Structure formats: structure tokens, C-alpha cells
Amino acid sequence: MSACKSLSFIVKNRSLWAHVRRNVTTWTPVGAAFNAKPHRRLDLFEKNVGLFGVPELSCPAGFQVATRIALKNTELLVEKACSCPPGVDTVQTFDQLSDGLCKVADLADFVKIAHPDPAFREAAEKTCIEIGTVVEKLNTNVDLCKSLKNLLDNPDIVAQLDPDTRRVAELFLFDFEISGIHLDDHLRKEAVALHVKLLDLNNEFLVGSHMPNRIARAAIPEHLHLYFENEGSFIQVGGLHADSPDDLVREIAYRIYLYPNADMMDCLEELLKCRYKLAKLVGYESYGHRALKGTMAKTPETVMSFLQLLTDKLSERTATDFKMMRYMKKKLSPRNSELMPWDHPFLSGVLRAERYNIEPSLYSPYLSLGTCMEGLNNLFSQLYGVSLMSEYPSAGEVWSEDVRKLAVVHETEGLLGYIYCDFFHRPGKPHQDCHFTIRGGRWCQETGQYQLPVVVLMLSLPHPTKSAPTLLTPGMMENLFHEMGHAMHSMLGRTRYQHVTGTRCPTDFAEVPSILMEYFATDYRVISHFARHYETGQPLPESMVARLCESKKVCGAADTQLQIFYAALDQIYHGKPQNRSTTEILKEMQQKFYGLPYMPNTAWQLRFSHLISYGAKYYSYLMSRAVASMVWKQCFIQDPLNRDMGERYRREMLAHGGAKEPMLMVEGMLQRQPTIEDFVDALVSELNPNFETFIMDSES
């Protein structure tokens, strides 16, 4: 179905869909699309339109064709960018160049990990490598960079640029500079060599960080073998088993899984050295300084001040949390009562469950996937005038029959884009919740139309059965809302340039829209519109929602402190070289920012895979949560369905993607300039108990 036909169908049927009434067995079209298995129509003559409607991708070999077309267009656009006079056209050509490569590379990046067909995955992997190599060459193309510098070095021309165009031009130039474009030939070749080496080291560390460790079967008590995977005369340990109620299982998993690997240790040390060397080579004090340019935090010094101040303000609460855990450990294991790092996740969960009775199975019947999608649809309709419309994908458009396609339609602006929902578990699919940009939004000067964004949301949920729809735990529901926050960031932006579309913005701002959605997911005024028992139709009791919200605060300071420790470790690793091992640094940071003892002969840092994608930016989640908390409390807590506030939120924060300084977007929303102290206070206040909840619980 073409975009025009699709929109016509949506508009013609909107009034019909709006009047469908929900009861126990009947959902709106969005709910029905997710609460039942799809009935595939069989049309032998239906043409295969290719993945995401890209005609070339009707078969694996099509990736080679799509890559060839993209690279041919790249050559033409490079020639145009280098020859056209400096001005707006220069930036538009750069963005067109970036868009042509991203449309193939981003799609391939998703397909290589998510497609069930190995042939498609392999073809996509080759495309990623081929386009990645071209991008590396473009980032060191002196003539291409010169065309951009000629533009930005001319004050008269710069004065005529609109703010978005100027910012995008500066961001493109930054990409050149961090690749060493401004260096002489010898140093530039050295920078390119470091980039290539880092690609290999990053991949080696990522793969190694997830590899299991093993130990002789005889070294572990026989009655515990069933908790681990057997491999002949060895036991394989592939994770921390943090939720196991057995103390010894948790301890064994911790000691074995985190046992140091000499090759991985060398890989990490070399990786950090290369990052520092590259940063210094292109003119930065450290890799952290390079990574934080353009973020809300801006410098490593600001990040460390934020983490230290947060630690100081949480210290008493953190001590109280650990005291509660010690008491519970003593109660559960009188003979082995010392609190250890492997106890934290398990005991905090026990304390929450004991105090608030938040067994997930009590909530799940009220949270079918379909009702949650209806809830999201209602929320977006109230806040932004946006509806989610279920569409039937064409032949070959999706990679699994379980994938659902949603058109995102605004009440006056029309079709905004598409969300493909890959929500259900299947063999070989990555077990992670994430958002992928397949195609970014941009104004196409060449066609005079707006290029609609396309994204994928990937979860790993159980399939519906004949007797019941897919039922979500509260955690799954929050994750769904979180990922949909990323998707709506992509949909509601209307940026002129795809280089800054949607989530293509600084990391410490990119998580704000998704974390803000978690607040809506736990507010009864929002939940009451959709959470119904799938069999009886009864609403989810308000007291259960209140207990769930309060339970999150139990051990909240200790949980936050653990995140602070990880963020501080990340900062120190990416600062100036310390002439000591990564393990020695870890021991010091664990003592300073966490409190539970370091266990000898362990190396948790070798499992810290976020060092690759979040290098020097792991703090981003904490800072984003602080901003989201401030936006929620100042703008939405009085009325979470307030349309005026929703429009302001879209206008001030969602619409710009990365085309505006992140702190300016925050200031626009809050109508004041927040400080680091404000961010810290927002996180600390999150842990304050809601006394109304205690009163309500006691009355019920």
C-alpha cells in the first residue's frame, strides 16, 4: 500500500475506528493487532516489495545492489559539494550525502542482527563494512572538508545561515575534526590507522565481554550443577545469576563469570590507550573531553562534580539501604551474613516484594500487550493529537510474520511516519529492548516533500496463546513505554536535516523522552484509561499501582549509587592515563563510589560492554533521568494528559532532534536555567516516600 493510499484509507476509516468500543473480548484495531496472532492473507500474485518497502531488498543479493546505488550517488554528491559555491546548498548537499549512506547503512545495521535468515544477515553485514569503509574515507577527504570550512570561515555567509543550518554545518565539521582532517598527511594517516585499530578492538571487546567462563565440574558442589550449563567435564557460567535465591549460586557465578581473562585485559588496556592517543592527536585533553563536546554536561569535570555531589547527598540513604540489606541477609542466611556485591540485586528485590507485595503475576492479567498499546494510543492522542493506526504490511516488507506495522498520524498534519514493532521472541533474536532508526526525517529539496521517518522497536515478549493474549509484567510495560518514547521522538520531530533527526542528538539528552515515558507508565491517571483484566474487564486497582510506585524507592539510593560507580569508572578510564591497571582503578572507584567490598581475582570491567557504545557517557542515564524528573514534576504531574503541555513539550524538546543545543531545549521546557545542583536534587527527591500512598495502603 502506498503512502498516499494508506493515508486515504486511514482518513476514511478514522471515524469508524474512533467509535469502536472496548470490552473484555473486543479491542480497538491497535489493541486487536497486538492481542491476537496475525492472520496472513495468501495472495500468490502479490509482489514482493522488499524489506521496509525498499524494492532492491526482496532478496539478500539486493543489499549489494542498494549499496552500489548508494555509493554511486555518493560520488556525485561529493563532487557537487566540492564544486558548489559556499552557502546553504553546501549543507543541504552534505545532508543529502549523509542521508543516502545512512538509509542503507542503518537498515543493514538492523537487519544484520535481527533478520531470521542467515543469508540476509550476512549480506547486511557486508554492506555495513563496505559503507563504513567509505564513511571513514569521506571523514578524511580534505577537499570535502575544505568546502565546509570555506563556508564556516566566511562571516558574511555564516550570518545569512538560519540557526539549524549553521549548527548542522558545525556538526559535520566536528565529524571531520575528530577524524584528524586538520592534521598534516603523516598525522592524518596515524589518526586513520588508530580509527581502524579501534574498530577491531571495539569488536573484540564486545564479543569477549559476553563470552561465558568455565570451571571444572569437580570444583562446584554437585547439587548446584543444575543451575549452570554443562560442557563435558566443565561447567559454563554465562552470567551473574543475580536473582538466584541461593547465596552460593550467586557467589559462584560472580567469582567465575568475573574471573580475569588476560587477553581481554590486554584488549581493554590497548583500547583505552588508543582512544586517549586519538583524542590527543586531534586536539583534545582526553577521550572524555572529546566525547562530551556538545552534550549537556560538556566536560568530564562537570560529570564528576555531578556524580560526587549526588554521592554526597545520597550517602545517608545509601548507608540505610545497605543496613536493610544486611539485616535481610542475616535473616535469610544466619551463617553467612556478610553483605557482598552479589547480594545487592537479589536482596533489594526481596525487600521490595516483602514490603509491598508486588509479585508480577498479580499485575500481568491487567496488562495485556493490546491494552498497553491502546493506552499508548490514548496518551499520544491526548498529548499530541496523534494516533497509532495498524497497517497490514505488504509481501516481503517485514522480516517475520510477527512484526506489526503502525502508521503514526497527526489530526491535522497527516502521516508522520512508520513504526515497525518487532515485539515477540523468536530463536536467534537478540534478547534486548531497543529502538532503531531505519530512515531519518528530512526536508527533501530535490522532491519538495518531507521524507517520513521509519523506525523499529524491538522487544522480546512471549507470544499470545489461544487462551490468552501476551501479558506483560510491570517491568515489561515500562520498557514498552520507554522504547515508544524513543519512537515518538523520531516521529514528532520535523527537522530540516536528517543528520539531526529524532534521537540523533547528544546521548545525555537522547534518553530524556524515553525516561519521561516511564513516569506516564506508572501514573494511575494514565494507567486507569487502559489497564483492564483480560478475562473479567475489571480495572487495575489504584492501590496496586501505588504500591508498585513506592516499591521502586526501596533500596533506590543503593541502586543509584551502583550506577554512579559505573559512571565514575567510565570517566576515569577515559581520562588521562593513570599508569596502573584497570583493576586497580576499579578497586579505588568501588570503594569511593559504591561501598561494598571488591572481591579479589575478579574484573567486572571486562563485562562492562557499555564502555564501547557509551565511552565516557555512561553518566547519561542518570543525567537524563534528572531532566525527565524535572520535566515531569514541573509540567505534567498536575495533569499528565494536558494537551497544552504536550504541545509545549513537542515544540520545545521533541521537534528539534539534535538541531538545537540540548540545554537550550531543557531551558525552553522548564522556562529557567537548571544547575547541576538542580539535577542532583531532582534525583534525590525521587526517593522521598509518598505519605499519601502509605495512608491509602493502611486504609485498604
Side-chain angles (χ1 to χ4, degrees):
M1 188 183 290
S2 71
C4 293
K5 287 181 182 175
S6 152
L7 186 54
S8 167
F9 178 78
I10 288 165
V11 172
K12 280 192 282 186
N13 289 277
R14 170 180 270 171
S15 58
L16 169 67
W17 289 357
H19 290 90
V20 174
R21 291 286 179 261
R22 185 203 296 123
N23 57 40
V24 179
T25 56
T26 304
W27 299 282
T28 65
V30 170
F34 289 88
N35 263 359
K37 291 190 174 183
H39 296 287
R40 293 297 179 197
R41 59 192 177 194
L42 186 62
D43 185 349
L44 298 177
F45 300 101
E46 188 177 5
K47 183 183 176 184
N48 187 322
V49 301
L51 287 171
F52 297 102
V54 178
E56 293 85 6
L57 302 184
S58 58
C59 64
F63 270 104
Q64 195 173 355
V65 178
T67 303
R68 193 164 58 244
I69 293 170
L71 296 184
K72 187 174 182 181
N73 288 335
T74 295
E75 289 177 13
L76 296 173
L77 288 166
V78 167
E79 189 177 327
K80 180 181 177 182
C82 292
S83 59
C84 72
V88 175
D89 283 352
T90 308
V91 184
Q92 289 173 344
T93 304
F94 265 83
D95 194 64
Q96 199 178 340
L97 171 61
S98 172
D99 180 58
L101 291 170
C102 286
K103 275 194 287 196
V104 180
D106 289 346
L107 193 157
D109 207 37
F110 168 73
V111 170
K112 75 177 183 181
I113 67 164
H115 203 291
D117 184 343
F120 265 101
R121 294 200 302 271
E122 187 178 336
E125 174 71 37
K126 287 179 180 176
T127 287
C128 287
I129 293 169
E130 194 168 349
I131 290 187
T133 303
V134 170
V135 169
E136 287 295 325
K137 288 179 180 176
L138 290 175
N139 283 341
T140 53
N141 184 317
V142 175
D143 292 333
L144 197 57
C145 179
K146 195 178 291 182
S147 68
L148 203 57
K149 278 189 70 65
N150 289 341
L151 165 68
L152 290 170
D153 287 346
N154 189 321
D156 294 333
I157 296 175
V158 170
Q160 296 171 24
L161 300 179
D162 61 274
D164 286 7
T165 301
R166 179 173 178 174
R167 178 165 171 81
V168 169
E170 289 169 347
L171 289 172
F172 276 123
L173 186 61
F174 174 67
D175 289 340
F176 279 116
E177 288 174 348
I178 63 174
S179 298
I181 195 75
H182 54 293
L183 304 173
D184 62 36
D185 287 348
H186 173 71
L187 292 177
R188 189 162 60 248
K189 285 178 182 176
E190 188 180 345
V192 170
L194 283 168
H195 270 291
V196 172
K197 187 175 182 179
L198 276 168
L199 286 174
D200 291 338
L201 288 168
N202 289 347
N203 188 57
E204 183 184 342
F205 187 79
L206 269 180
V207 171
S209 67
H210 297 293
M211 291 294 286
N213 276 342
R214 63 180 193 166
I215 190 171
R217 285 167 58 92
I220 293 179
E222 192 170 342
H223 70 284
L224 298 179
H225 288 185
L226 60 94
Y227 292 100
F228 304 103
E229 192 173 325
N230 287 295
E231 188 188 273
S233 59
F234 291 93
I235 294 286
Q236 260 200 11
V237 182
L240 290 173
H241 292 253
D243 295 328
S244 174
D246 190 307
D247 291 356
L248 194 52
V249 169
R250 295 197 306 274
E251 180 178 352
I252 288 170
Y254 192 92
R255 288 176 179 273
I256 303 306
Y257 188 60
L258 300 184
Y259 192 79
N261 176 296
D263 290 338
M264 281 291 287
M265 199 72 81
D266 291 343
C267 174
L268 178 58
E269 301 274 5
E270 189 62 24
L271 189 154
L272 295 175
K273 281 179 188 173
C274 282
R275 283 183 169 180
Y276 175 74
K277 192 173 181 180
L278 180 60
K280 289 290 286 184
L281 194 62
V282 297
Y284 289 90
E285 196 176 325
S286 71
Y287 185 85
H289 286 85
R290 175 195 154 182
L292 296 178
K293 184 173 179 179
T295 61
M296 284 196 291
K298 296 193 182 302
T299 68
E301 291 77 17
T302 302
V303 174
M304 290 306 292
S305 295
F306 168 64
L307 297 176
Q308 186 62 62
L309 186 58
L310 186 53
T311 296
D312 294 342
K313 291 209 172 188
L314 285 177
S315 60
E316 289 186 14
R317 297 175 196 236
T318 304
T320 300
D321 286 354
F322 284 141
K323 188 176 180 181
M324 286 195 301
M325 289 184 208
R326 287 188 180 93
Y327 175 79
M328 181 56 72
K329 177 92 183 271
K330 193 172 184 179
K331 183 177 170 184
L332 296 175
S333 309
R335 296 180 181 177
N336 187 24
S337 60
E338 185 182 358
L339 186 64
M340 301 302 290
W342 52 79
D343 295 320
H344 178 160
F346 172 70
L347 292 178
S348 58
V350 169
L351 286 162
R352 289 186 191 103
E354 183 185 67
R355 187 170 297 185
Y356 289 104
N357 188 25
I358 51 163
E359 171 56 42
S361 62
L362 298 174
Y363 291 82
S364 291
Y366 299 93
L367 301 174
S368 73
L369 176 58
T371 60
C372 290
M373 292 302 296
E374 287 180 356
L376 284 162
N377 192 23
N378 178 66
L379 177 62
F380 298 148
S381 176
Q382 299 260 27
L383 287 179
Y384 314 120
V386 162
S387 297
L388 305 175
M389 305 291 191
S390 179
E391 277 198 10
Y392 198 90
S394 301
E397 186 178 352
V398 296
W399 49 100
S400 169
E401 66 174 14
D402 296 323
V403 176
R404 310 315 200 250
K405 180 184 179 184
L406 296 175
V408 181
V409 183
H410 190 272
E411 60 191 14
T412 59
E413 297 170 34
L415 185 62
L416 297 181
Y418 292 102
I419 303 172
Y420 289 83
C421 300
D422 187 356
F423 283 173
F424 301 102
H425 174 75
R426 62 176 173 271
K429 178 182 174 181
H431 200 81
Q432 58 190 37
D433 299 343
C434 42
H435 161 274
F436 295 86
T437 297
I438 302 299
R439 184 176 71 200
R442 66 182 279 262
W443 176 254
C444 298
Q445 198 73 24
E446 57 272 26
T447 63
Q449 292 181 316
Y450 196 81
Q451 175 175 287
L452 297 176
V454 175
V455 304
V456 173
L457 295 189
M458 193 161 75
L459 306 176
S460 194
L461 303 175
H463 289 266
T465 65
K466 289 181 180 179
S467 59
T470 294
L471 302 178
L472 308 188
T473 64
M476 289 175 181
M477 190 259 281
E478 277 188 49
N479 286 350
L480 170 63
F481 272 62
H482 179 101
E483 298 304 334
M484 194 59 81
H486 284 309
M488 295 309 290
H489 195 180
S490 295
M491 295 295 117
L492 291 172
R494 269 298 179 266
T495 53
R496 184 174 170 184
Y497 300 102
Q498 72 81 37
H499 192 64
V500 289
T501 186
T503 56
R504 287 176 182 162
C505 57
T507 309
D508 56 5
F509 182 81
E511 289 297 329
V512 173
S514 52
I515 293 173
L516 182 63
M517 282 296 293
E518 295 176 21
Y519 290 91
F520 289 99
T522 52
D523 189 286
Y524 187 72
R525 293 163 296 179
V526 175
I527 294 175
S528 62
H529 282 272
F530 67 89
R532 298 282 186 278
H533 197 288
Y534 79 99
E535 289 179 314
T536 67
Q538 290 297 308
L540 179 64
E542 186 173 358
S543 60
M544 287 178 67
V545 177
R547 286 204 306 271
L548 186 65
C549 291
E550 286 305 301
S551 73
K552 294 173 182 292
K553 299 172 185 177
V554 176
C555 298
D559 293 346
T560 302
Q561 198 60 54
L562 184 58
Q563 292 302 310
I564 293 170
F565 158 48
Y566 296 159
L569 185 67
D570 176 43
Q571 285 301 306
I572 301 302
Y573 280 167
H574 289 103
K576 293 178 181 177
Q578 303 244 335
N579 298 318
R580 52 186 178 143
S581 73
T582 56
T583 301
E584 287 173 317
I585 295 171
L586 175 117
K587 285 168 67 175
E588 182 189 325
M589 290 298 104
Q590 185 164 335
Q591 183 178 357
K592 184 176 180 181
F593 286 102
Y594 187 32
L596 294 187
Y598 165 77
M599 179 52 54
N601 295 317
T602 63
W604 178 85
Q605 73 274 22
L606 301 183
R607 301 296 182 179
F608 195 8
S609 59
H610 283 90
L611 285 172
I612 302 305
S613 54
Y614 280 80
K617 291 185 281 193
Y618 191 79
Y619 76 93
S620 294
Y621 185 80
L622 285 169
M623 191 165 278
S624 291
R625 179 163 290 282
V627 173
S629 174
M630 294 169 74
V631 171
W632 173 256
K633 287 171 186 169
Q634 185 173 317
C635 306
F636 290 106
I637 200 165
Q638 294 301 320
D639 179 6
L641 301 176
N642 185 299
R643 177 64 179 271
D644 290 338
M645 201 55 74
E647 292 292 350
R648 180 166 128 195
Y649 175 54
R650 180 187 181 187
R651 182 176 66 250
E652 296 291 347
M653 294 187 78
L654 297 180
H656 305 286
K660 194 173 180 180
E661 283 278 350
M663 197 59 88
L664 291 178
M665 291 190 269
V666 176
E667 288 173 20
M669 188 66 197
L670 299 177
Q671 298 183 342
R672 64 190 177 92
Q673 188 172 13
T675 64
I676 291 298
E677 288 77 11
D678 292 330
F679 291 161
V680 168
D681 289 342
L683 290 173
V684 173
S685 67
E686 290 278 295
L687 303 175
N688 292 335
N690 183 343
F691 292 105
E692 292 176 11
T693 301
F694 291 135
I695 293 168
M696 185 169 59
D697 278 346
S698 61
E699 287 176 349
S700 62

